């Protein structure tokens, strides 16, 4: 695909995909930067391609092109914008398997999970096709004699999106389709670790008919992000990534007057009640803790076993032992590699801290070696029990296949523990009692709750509603909240006089008469 293939480059030097391009004013262009980073297959360390760290001039050019395109794009009829999304969803569906292969190669997750990554993003594009009703204003006739009030949901201007490595398809698709279909123009800054599959989606967006300048892409790291956060033309920033960077983005862009949403790190708990269906619950826990090698912001990292369920730990460990660690493209893989050697070193260090701080290690994934992929960044499933809240494996987001188990006696103790944790992304409850579920959903202070659902990521008719330490900003990505985020509500109060209307008297009060 044009966006990532540079046929003039020697592929043995730059990898199979060559150099990733920038998208500026409708053209996929080579960056003039001197700073490049290898895109590396985490299962093999093979260099797949290179990503540029765009120059300041290139970032400015991308923002300028978005600014120039805005006026005509916002005047483009809403059905025309919607039809581009209809085309885009068709194109993504047709190329999903091809994109999934690239996604697995650069990110490491299994092929089926890569297809899921694309599918969950595709659902947002499908929802964007309903923009005609989503972006409707409100109207009240007769708020005073002859006076009507109504609202317009108007696009903001140039918006920017900054995305993490762990969902290179879904998260860019949370952002640019909704922003653009609302009438904004967009500058996307994908993760520099795995931008290839994102660029394939961007190329499809251009093929679907997004006009030049409406969608732009710049690659890079902190410097590019900081430019987006401070540039006068950028009106809103959507960020998804770690807590440290998301807080920086929120503060910097906020200080520069931008609307910001930062969706950040997590520590997700599941509460297991003694009346839960044991087989289904244990399967759900294993899948949620170790799927995608634990590199999901909604991954399960703490199992809170209530009462007698502490006796289920051995069975949980046995089930976990059946998971197959291998390269994501190999058949029947359950756990692929983590994204980088650095990420692996960090996960191993955190596992070591758990041992040092006295947690009981039931399953140790540190020494896993995958035949044929000895260089891969593999970490096997790891399970600790006896974890206390002052341990690093409890306090820090591991972002690897590590499950911490804490045993408590009651539901109330479980809820108190979870409500005291600073993060608020997701939580699960496993029970067969409707009354327990109702108490839990009412009392738990977490933005996304699964009841017998291990990873409760809402579908796009709703919005992603992580809360507390996992989010800064009021409105979440996708769904109706995204329409609010990407539009400004303008309220019109209007009176039309009939020719015959008498002028009446001057009114110096605030009242409409
Ligand atoms: P990250 O914060 O390292 O990177 C995210 C983006 O910020 C990337 O585009 C990166 O280039 C940029 N960036 C990195 N360092 C920067 C800096 N110093 N200044 C400015 N920009 C910088 O995150 P990641 O490692 O790519 O992704 C994993 C994290 O994302 C985890 O913490 C995970 O929980 C979180 N995440 C959250 C959600 C959510 O919806 N809450 C979803 C997915 C991932």
């Amino acid at each position: 695909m044009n966006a990532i293939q540079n046929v003039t480059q020697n592929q043995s030097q730059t990898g199979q995909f060559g150099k990733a391009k920038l998208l500026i004013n409708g053209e996929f262009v080579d960056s003039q930067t001197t700073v490049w980073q290898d895109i590396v297959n985490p299962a093999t360390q093979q260099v797949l391609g290179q990503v540029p760290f765009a120059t300041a001039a290139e970032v400015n050019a991308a923002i300028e092109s978005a600014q120039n395109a805005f006026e005509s794009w916002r005047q483009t009829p809403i059905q025309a914008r919607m039809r581009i999304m209809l085309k885009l969803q068709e194109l993504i569906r047709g190329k999903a398997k091809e994109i999934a292969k690239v996604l697995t190669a650069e990110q490491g997750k299994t092929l089926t999970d890569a297809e899921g990554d694309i599918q969950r993003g595709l659902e947002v594009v499908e929802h964007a096709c309903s923009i005609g009703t989503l972006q409707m204003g409100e109207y009240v006739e007769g708020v005073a004699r002859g006076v009507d009030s109504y609202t317009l949901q108007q696009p903001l201007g140039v918006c920017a999106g900054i995305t993490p490595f762990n969902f290179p398809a879904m998260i860019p698709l949370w952002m640019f389709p909704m922003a653009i279909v609302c009438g904004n123009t967009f500058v996307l800054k994908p993760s520099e670790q795995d931008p290839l599959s994102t660029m394939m989606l961007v190329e499809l967006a251009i093929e679907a008919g997004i006009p030049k300048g409406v969608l732009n892409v710049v690659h890079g790291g902190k410097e590019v992000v900081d430019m987006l956060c401070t540039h006068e033309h950028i009106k809103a920033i959507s960020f998804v990534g770690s807590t440290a960077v998301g807080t920086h983005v929120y503060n910097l862009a906020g200080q520069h007057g931008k609307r910001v949403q930062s969706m950040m790190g997590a520590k997700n708990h599941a509460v297991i009640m003694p009346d839960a269906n044991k087989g289904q619950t244990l399967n759900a826990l294993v899948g949620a803790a170790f799927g995608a090698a634990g590199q999901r912001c909604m991954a399960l990292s703490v199992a809170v076993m209530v009462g007698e369920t502490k006796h289920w730990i051995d069975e949980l460990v046995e089930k976990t032992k059946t998971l197959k660690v291998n390269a994501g493209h190999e058949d029947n893989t359950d756990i692929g590699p983590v994204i980088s050697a650095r990420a692996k070193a960090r996960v191993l260090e955190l596992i070591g801290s758990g041992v040092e701080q006295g947690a009981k290690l039931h399953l140790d994934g540190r020494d896993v070696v995958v035949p044929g992929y000895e260089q891969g960044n593999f970490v096997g499933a790891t399970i600790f029990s006896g974890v206390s809240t002052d341990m690093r494996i409890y306090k820090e987001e591991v972002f690897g296949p590590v499950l911490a188990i804490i045993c408590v006696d009651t539901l109330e103790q479980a809820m108190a523990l979870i409500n005291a944790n600073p993060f608020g992304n997701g939580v699960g409850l496993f029970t067969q009692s409707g009354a327990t579920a109702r108490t839990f959903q009412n009392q738990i202070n977490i933005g996304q709750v699964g009841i017998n659902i291990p990873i409760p990521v809402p579908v796009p008719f709703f919005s992603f509603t992580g809360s507390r330490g996992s989010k800064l900003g009021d409105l979440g990505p996708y769904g109706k909240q995204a329409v609010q985020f990407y539009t400004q509500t303008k309220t019109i109060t209007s009176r039309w006089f009939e020719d015959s209307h008498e002028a009446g008297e001057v009114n110096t009060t605030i009242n409409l008469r």
Side-chain angles (χ1 to χ4, degrees), residues 163-166 189 192 222 240-242 245 264 297 397 464:
T163 58
F165 79 83
N166 65 330
K189 208 297 290 171
E192 71 281 21
K222 178 175 168 50
V240 180
S242 63
V245 179
M264 308 184 293
C297 67
E397 182 182 40
F464 194 92

Side-chain angles (χ1 to χ4, degrees), residues 7-338:
V7 287
T8 64
Q9 294 296 326
N10 177 345
Q11 291 195 350
S12 65
Q13 280 174 17
T14 59
Q16 171 189 3
F17 295 98
K19 296 189 169 185
K21 301 208 177 194
L22 309 174
L23 173 61
I24 299 176
N25 205 24
E27 302 290 331
F28 289 101
V29 294
D30 293 320
S31 174
Q32 299 307 309
T33 187
T34 53
V35 185
W36 294 83
Q37 179 172 304
D38 286 343
I39 304 161
V40 178
N41 182 325
T44 61
Q45 309 303 344
Q46 179 201 2
V47 173
L48 298 171
Q50 290 182 322
V51 62
F53 280 45
T55 65
E58 289 164 344
V59 178
N60 279 328
I63 298 171
E64 283 302 324
S65 96
Q67 174 74 3
N68 294 338
F70 176 58
E71 205 41 50
S72 114
W73 180 241
R74 75 185 283 257
Q75 303 297 348
T76 302
I78 200 161
Q79 293 99 317
R81 304 202 301 252
M82 189 188 75
R83 274 184 216 113
I84 292 174
M85 294 301 147
L86 270 172
K87 183 70 186 166
L88 178 57
Q89 66 80 28
E90 181 196 334
L91 292 175
I92 294 174
R93 203 176 295 283
K95 284 263 166 53
K97 286 205 182 296
E98 195 182 318
I99 299 170
K101 282 187 193 152
V102 176
L103 200 160
T104 291
E106 64 177 345
Q107 203 277 349
K109 63 178 70 175
T110 65
L111 265 178
T112 42
D113 205 32
E115 286 172 19
D117 189 334
I118 296 161
Q119 174 62 31
R120 293 305 299 260
L122 177 59
E123 289 171 5
V124 179
V125 182
E126 290 170 347
H127 194 231
C129 299
S130 310
I131 194 64
T133 46
L134 292 173
Q135 206 174 343
M136 269 182 185
E138 296 174 313
Y139 196 109
V140 175
E141 185 184 39
V143 294
R145 200 173 285 274
V147 178
D148 304 325
S149 276
Y150 51 99
T151 58
L152 309 177
Q153 295 300 131
Q154 295 194 315
L156 303 174
V158 184
C159 302
I162 300 153
T163 58
F165 79 83
N166 65 330
F167 282 98
M170 178 181 80
I171 292 177
L173 291 174
W174 281 3
M175 296 180 182
F176 76 79
M178 289 308 290
I180 284 174
V181 83
C182 286
N184 300 287
T185 56
F186 205 79
V187 181
L188 177 67
K189 208 297 290 171
S191 171
E192 71 281 21
Q193 298 192 80
D194 50 10
L196 299 172
S197 43
T198 310
M199 291 309 287
M200 294 172 88
L201 292 163
V202 165
E203 194 166 349
L204 295 181
I206 298 303
E207 190 182 333
I210 290 181
K212 69 175 189 180
V214 171
L215 175 61
N216 302 270
V217 181
V218 288
H219 300 288
K222 178 175 168 50
E223 284 174 25
V224 171
V225 168
D226 286 359
M227 276 191 76
L228 295 173
C229 291
T230 53
H231 196 287
E232 58 172 336
H233 289 335
I234 303 273
K235 297 293 181 282
I237 302 256
S238 185
F239 172 89
V240 180
S242 63
T243 301
V245 179
T247 305
H248 162 73
V249 164
Y250 187 81
N251 290 336
L252 183 64
Q255 280 160 10
H256 286 79
K258 289 151 200 1
R259 189 178 284 192
V260 195
Q261 56 178 201
S262 275
M263 313 308 296
M264 308 184 293
K267 200 76 192 173
N268 306 304
H269 298 66
V271 177
I272 299 93
M273 297 300 292
D275 68 349
N277 179 308
K278 189 174 168 189
Q280 287 171 1
T281 301
L282 294 180
N283 285 344
L285 298 181
V286 173
F290 306 116
Q295 298 178 118
R296 295 179 179 132
C297 67
M298 291 287 278
L300 171 63
S301 45
V302 186
V304 187
M305 315 291 288
V306 179
E308 291 305 299
T309 66
K310 60 175 176 257
H311 300 302
W312 298 4
I313 294 176
D314 287 345
E315 206 171 315
L316 179 74
V317 171
E318 288 312 309
K319 264 188 195 286
T320 306
K321 282 182 184 166
T322 65
L323 297 180
K324 208 169 135 197
V325 181
N326 206 341
H329 64 271
E330 295 286 359
D331 286 345
N332 304 320
T333 300
D334 298 300
I335 302 179
V338 296

